Amino acid sequence: MATAAESLRSFDTVPRERPRLVRLARLARQHPTGVFGLVVIAGFVVLGIFGPAIAPYDPRELRTGGVLEGPSRAHPFGTNALGQDVLSRVIAGARISLIISFSAVFIGGSIGSFLGIVSGYYGRWVDYLIQRSGEAWAAFPSIVFYFMLITAFGQGVKTIIIAIAIGALFGGSRVLRGATMVEARSTYVEAARALGASEARIFFRHVLPNVLPLTVVLMSTSLGGAILAESALAFLGIGVEPGTPSWGIDMSGENLTVARLGYWHVVVFPGLAISLVVLGANLLGDALRDIWDPRLRR
Amino acid sequence: MRANGLFGSRASRRRFLAGAGAAGLGAGGLLLAGCGDDEAPVATSTAPEGGASPGSSPTVPPEADIPKDGILRLRQTAPWSSINPWKGLDSGLTWGFYVFDHLFYTPLDTLKPELFLATSLEQPEPTRIIFKLGEGYFHDKPPVNGCRVTARDVKASYETSIKQPGVSTTTFMTQVFAGIEVPDDETVIVKLNAPDARAFTSTALGGVITSSIIPEEICAQPEFMDRDIIGSGRFVFEGHEGGTNFRLRRFEKWRIPGEPWLAGMRWFLIQEQAQALAAFSAQDIDTVGLANVLERDQLVQRHGKDIEIDSDISRSVWVVLTRADGRWADPRVRRAVNLAIDRDEIIEIMTFGEGLKSGIMPPAFASVSLSEQELAETLWKFDPTQAKQLLAQAGFDTSQPIEIKVAALGDNYSKFAQAIAAQLEKNLGVKTNIVTEDFGTWLQKSLYGSEYKDLIVFPTLAYDEPSQYLRPYEKEIGGRPNWARFFDDELNQMIAKSRTIMDEEERFEALKEIQRKAIEKVAPAFPIYVPRTFAAYWYWVKGRVTGRGSFGLFNGRLYIDKRR
Amino acid sequence: MRQYALRRLAYLPLIAALVSVITFFTLRMPWAGDPVTYMSTQNTTVEDQERLRKELGLDKPVAVQFGLWLGDVLRGDFGETFRGRQPVLDEVMRRFPATLEIMVLSLGFTVLFGVTFGVVSAVRQDSFADYGLRVFAVFGQSVPDFFLLILLIVLPSIWWNYSHPIGGHVSIFEDPIRNLRLYVPPTLLLAVGGSALMMRVTRSAMLEVLRQDYMRTARAKGLGAYAVIVRHGLRNALIPIITLAGNHLVALFFGAVILEQVFSINGLGQFFLTSAAQRDFPVMQFLVLYSALVVMGLNLVVDLSYALIDPRIKYS
């Protein structure tokens, strides 16, 4: 039995394996910017996880060299007013950005997708309720919303994750709703229904598998926005705690003051780091969208 | 004079209030300092910068020669929530200096009251003070329409202001001050419940906000000042834009004829320090407070002799306050924290080397502070090895992170917290985490309400009165239990006793003894350093006088003269 | 059409009420900051605080407070600020022109550059200009707006010793030059992200339109290139552009807060930040309600404009 199954599987998988690789290679050739985005985001994830270990200095250590030294071999990005190594802070800053953006996108994306699918598939009052909430949400400028949350729950990583997640939630739900509605009314679903398939079977066999990849696309396209939102909040001083290596924080306050005095390296490198990662996220998101669902292309 | 003696003449040129907050807030410049209102241990960030002071400027040309059409343009660091002087420290102090008149004010250098509206001051017995009023008029706006200032206005101002929830009154004003009698329109008799050495200081009858003379009619309905400010001071309040961009113009009927020499003052809201510097360079404002030497060096390099830099050693002390209960009850633990703080490195980081280590009394109060040598052997000692040993002996759980609470008030607040955190991590081998709170919560709950776990860090106000610096060592601080829950009967009695000593020398000696005792008992408030503050002026701002604390702001002889 | 508009209008107060309820109750959660603490000093006694609480009406049950507030609002009274005790409406109106100008200018720039670039890039598809503009779009969407604004403060001052005008808002009617110096550079930068997005949308909408038969017909009829593009192409690409402009305006609330913060402009964004920091409920309440109504009103206008642009769209 086992051998039969194994041989069956190997028979089944071997011919498939190669085309997949080939297809991937072709995709990569068709979307070079997407590959670039993927590399950037991969690097971002690696830095986010191993950053503090990779960084040449402890990002919080005072006076790793002189104060406000320009870029040099010992400090490629220079040092800030506390004498901290800017490169180490930029590397370590990936972590908070990664934690917040990924959690927010994951939470917001999955809840949003769920709501969208439910709304699109069941329609009626569920749809009505979710869509009206979405409209109310859209009428709520995000900055106002962040402040309300912070006022109510206090400042902190969790509050920011929730705030950004909710931001991603309704946008996602609308797209998924549309896609689900299309699937649910497609001819093959009607055919399945005519053949007597149960609703649950239709939903799980036919509708869900077709819309789920969209969730991944959605998450990847909202990643850039989440990173931007996190850094903007940190910049306004309503994000994570000071002292935390964070790109947004490192561009505000005294660093900004000294930048005006000519110590540009203190703010420019964190700014470039944000820009690069958001660029990577956007390129990756665009590519994934093109690959999975050209209809979404703008 | 004492204060001046410590530093060279250049160093002692004191920019208005010495900016408690000034350096403290990074934004440079705020007034706050010397008023020493009991309740506010830290500056708020919102006060605009004050103008320079007049006076000791060496070469003032004959008055006829002085152009009197200048408008002094200053920076405001944040919008005010109210222009009502009884609803905010920022508005209270600013209008106190420029729009309201006072009976007298006590400068920091002499510590002796100088008369303003009062023409005489007598103290026939320690609990009775008699002022005779000179001739002064209120600004010509309804409802007072330029009527003369009477003793009743003074009485109403003192007695009403101390009842306002938004005014920080001192223990002197609530307990020692017994009320005012006005036998006639020109006589004010202040009665005290007990003799007190502080009667004429800024923490008592000389408090800028408390002593501001406000028309009796307006005292009866303080909400009036939400809309307009009417005083009898050198400048008339002209207007504002939602708590920003204030405009003052010269009061033509000011009691000193010919003054003020400025035609008016204008504030401009510039929140970012970077932008303030740019605005100064572009000559959009006449003066700017500088956050550090880098800014000074850059401006000097750029503008050379076109600008002048005033510098001063602040009286605002940056403090690390531990708790005195729980795992902090053991003095060895507190001592370990102090031993783990490398003050030289802190000064290097916070001020690029332009600061001084501070004892409990900041170095500006030379006559009452302990000698540097004495402090170097006690309070200022830096010894990480011994610190770690002490922690181990006390059985301190180093796996528990130390929480550092700080107000979200500006760059320097978080920078100081970060510096302390990094040193404790390195020198004690503990984890730390910094908690930032908005100023209101931080002040009311965390500091006054003692709701902090381990450490709280802040700069004190720059007081004009030395004994104010002893407040963190008392059992009760302004009616509330000691912030750190540090209750020491001996220290408390020593402090209470020092207030009743009327002889100056004897009193100063008592103050020094208190400081020694506090260090010996490892009282939980550890003074770290005082910054040097800098302010840049364009060459045309003339008549600045420095070295007299907030007194320098009551200056009618500041003027703008673009001739070289 | 009229019926649809009326029905949408009927939603307005409903959603406004919902938003107000949420705001009102969130602010007054027991664990949220207490405005009275922010107004007291060390000497404020418990009695003072109670009196203050009573004066501000915070002593009543939250539901009652809401009822009173709602009643006042329906009568057109938005209350007084907690701190300055000024009418909220006056305080808002004072700051309104600055924020309005920021919004109008940066939305204007967004549309102007977004649409122009989009059209150029679509018409000259695969040209050097198209390539350059697409690169701009990709980067423009990735650079944080506050980074651009910081560079506007940092770089000109290092390079040319240039300082941005200060002193807050100046009316454009009073001092047009100063006003434009104050607002144009930052709003231009604030428009970068939006115009990048708008350019992409315009470009793909235009490409789609250009491929349609009627465009070929129009060209065959001998219409000039400009007329073809504007009268036929752009008109048909307007719907996604308008949708995006509507969305962008909501995003601009955030942008305005950042711009006002970086350039010290005392507008509604600053007002909101300071009021939030001091828990000035009536102000927050008003601004939330106001922004909700503005955004919903605009959405309605956007939706209705579809019908005007494309007669095929009908609402029922």
Side-chain angles (χ1 to χ4, degrees), chain B residues 75-125:
Chain B
R75 170 198 182 187
Q76 179 185 3
T77 54
W80 295 357
S81 51
S82 170
I83 61 164
N84 191 324
W86 286 349
K87 286 185 182 169
L89 201 55
D90 38 24
S91 44
L93 291 176
T94 309
W95 305 148
F97 291 126
Y98 304 116
V99 178
F100 297 119
D101 201 3
H102 307 259
L103 292 177
F104 69 94
Y105 195 77
T106 305
L108 173 79
D109 50 352
T110 61
L111 290 177
K112 299 209 169 15
E114 295 195 14
L115 300 179
F116 285 178
L117 181 65
T119 52
S120 72
L121 182 170
E122 287 168 49
Q123 196 166 9
E125 57 219 65

Side-chain angles (χ1 to χ4, degrees), chain B residues 493-535:
Chain B
Q493 275 162 19
M494 288 169 80
I495 295 171
K497 194 173 158 236
S498 71
R499 289 205 179 112
T500 58
I501 305 175
M502 303 294 264
D503 177 83
E504 206 171 60
E505 288 306 309
E506 204 182 316
R507 182 162 169 250
F508 289 172
E509 206 40 58
L511 292 178
K512 282 187 186 174
E513 246 349 279
I514 294 170
Q515 296 174 68
R516 289 192 188 103
K517 187 58 82 181
I519 295 170
E520 182 195 314
K521 297 196 173 219
V522 206
F526 300 108
I528 308 296
Y529 81 102
V530 283
R532 186 181 284 284
T533 59
F534 301 95

Side-chain angles (χ1 to χ4, degrees), chain B residues 242 271 302 438 441 444 477, chain C residues 38 40 42-43 95 161 264:
Chain B
Q271 276 158 307
R302 185 179 288 183
D438 57 83
T441 313
Q444 293 296 331
I477 307 173
Chain C
Y38 290 82
S40 18
Q42 193 178 1
N43 271 54
R95 293 165 171 89
N161 213 359
S264 304

Side-chain angles (χ1 to χ4, degrees), chain A residues 21-33:
Chain A
L21 273 176
V22 173
R23 253 173 58 207
L24 269 180
R26 201 189 319 135
L27 273 179
R29 228 175 306 124
Q30 281 169 348
H31 300 276
T33 52

Side-chain angles (χ1 to χ4, degrees), chain B residues 417-461:
Chain B
Q418 285 178 58
I420 294 291
Q423 288 195 349
L424 295 185
E425 289 202 354
K426 189 172 162 194
N427 301 329
L428 287 181
V430 292
K431 282 268 157 232
T432 60
N433 61 313
I434 299 171
V435 175
T436 323
E437 286 177 330
D438 57 83
F439 181 65
T441 313
W442 179 86
L443 181 66
Q444 293 296 331
K445 296 210 161 136
S446 301
L447 186 64
Y448 292 165
S450 306
E451 287 179 19
Y452 64 99
K453 251 169 70 189
D454 301 300
L455 257 56
I456 193 161
V457 295
F458 58 91
T460 66
L461 275 180

Side-chain angles (χ1 to χ4, degrees), chain A:
Chain A
M1 264 300 261
T3 43
E6 261 163 36
S7 65
L8 248 179
R9 197 178 298 147
S10 59
F11 176 78
D12 207 30
T13 45
V14 168
R16 256 192 213 167
E17 200 71 353
R18 207 170 292 143
R20 188 175 288 172
L21 273 176
V22 173
R23 253 173 58 207
L24 269 180
R26 201 189 319 135
L27 273 179
R29 228 175 306 124
Q30 281 169 348
H31 300 276
T33 52
V35 174
F36 172 77
L38 186 66
V39 170
V40 169
I41 295 305
F44 174 53
V45 173
V46 169
L47 286 188
I49 297 169
F50 303 106
I54 301 171
Y57 297 93
D58 178 342
R60 296 176 71 159
E61 189 184 339
L62 307 173
R63 291 211 293 178
T64 53
V67 163
L68 289 173
E69 269 178 21
S72 67
R73 189 169 297 172
H75 302 280
F77 290 180
T79 60
N80 67 12
L82 286 159
Q84 295 164 330
D85 181 48
V86 175
L87 174 65
S88 302
R89 286 192 69 85
V90 169
I91 291 175
R95 174 168 289 181
I96 197 75
S97 185
L98 179 81
I99 293 175
I100 291 179
S101 59
F102 272 55
S103 334
V105 161
F106 181 75
I107 296 171
S110 38
I111 298 180
S113 301
F114 173 76
L115 291 180
I117 293 170
V118 170
S119 177
Y121 192 76
Y122 289 101
R124 294 187 296 267
W125 65 270
V126 182
D127 182 34
Y128 184 84
L129 190 73
I130 293 173
Q131 290 313 304
R132 290 295 89 78
S133 319
E135 273 165 29
W137 160 256
F140 220 72
S142 52
I143 181 79
V144 174
F145 176 73
Y146 295 149
F147 254 91
M148 298 285 299
L149 276 190
I150 288 163
T151 310
F153 301 105
Q155 205 168 331
V157 174
K158 275 182 221 144
T159 313
I160 299 166
I161 292 178
I162 295 172
I164 299 177
I166 295 180
L169 202 147
F170 287 107
S173 86
R174 195 173 294 176
V175 176
L176 262 291
R177 171 180 178 260
T180 311
M181 280 166 83
V182 170
E183 294 296 335
R185 278 161 213 166
S186 62
T187 40
Y188 69 86
V189 167
E190 267 166 40
R193 205 169 271 142
L195 288 174
S198 71
E199 280 299 307
R201 190 181 157 82
I202 291 174
F203 183 73
F204 287 107
R205 263 316 278 266
H206 300 291
V207 179
L208 206 54
N210 280 309
V211 295
L212 268 189
L214 260 182
T215 308
V216 179
V217 177
L218 262 177
M219 287 184 186
S220 71
T221 49
S222 53
L223 183 63
I227 298 168
L228 281 180
E230 187 273 329
S231 61
L233 288 177
F235 173 74
L236 281 178
I238 52 178
V240 291
E241 292 303 334
T244 316
S246 146
W247 297 331
I249 286 181
D250 282 1
M251 294 172 70
S252 61
E254 185 175 43
N255 284 351
L256 180 54
T257 311
V258 296
R260 159 64 179 61
L261 298 171
Y263 302 95
W264 54 272
H265 61 269
V266 175
V267 293
V268 167
F269 289 114
L272 289 178
I274 302 172
S275 307
L276 179 68
V277 172
V278 177
L279 179 69
N282 287 346
L283 292 176
L284 179 65
D286 285 357
L288 288 180
R289 192 168 54 194
D290 285 354
I291 294 165
W292 259 304
D293 194 354
R295 281 170 302 172
L296 287 174
R297 190 175 188 172
R298 285 208 267 221

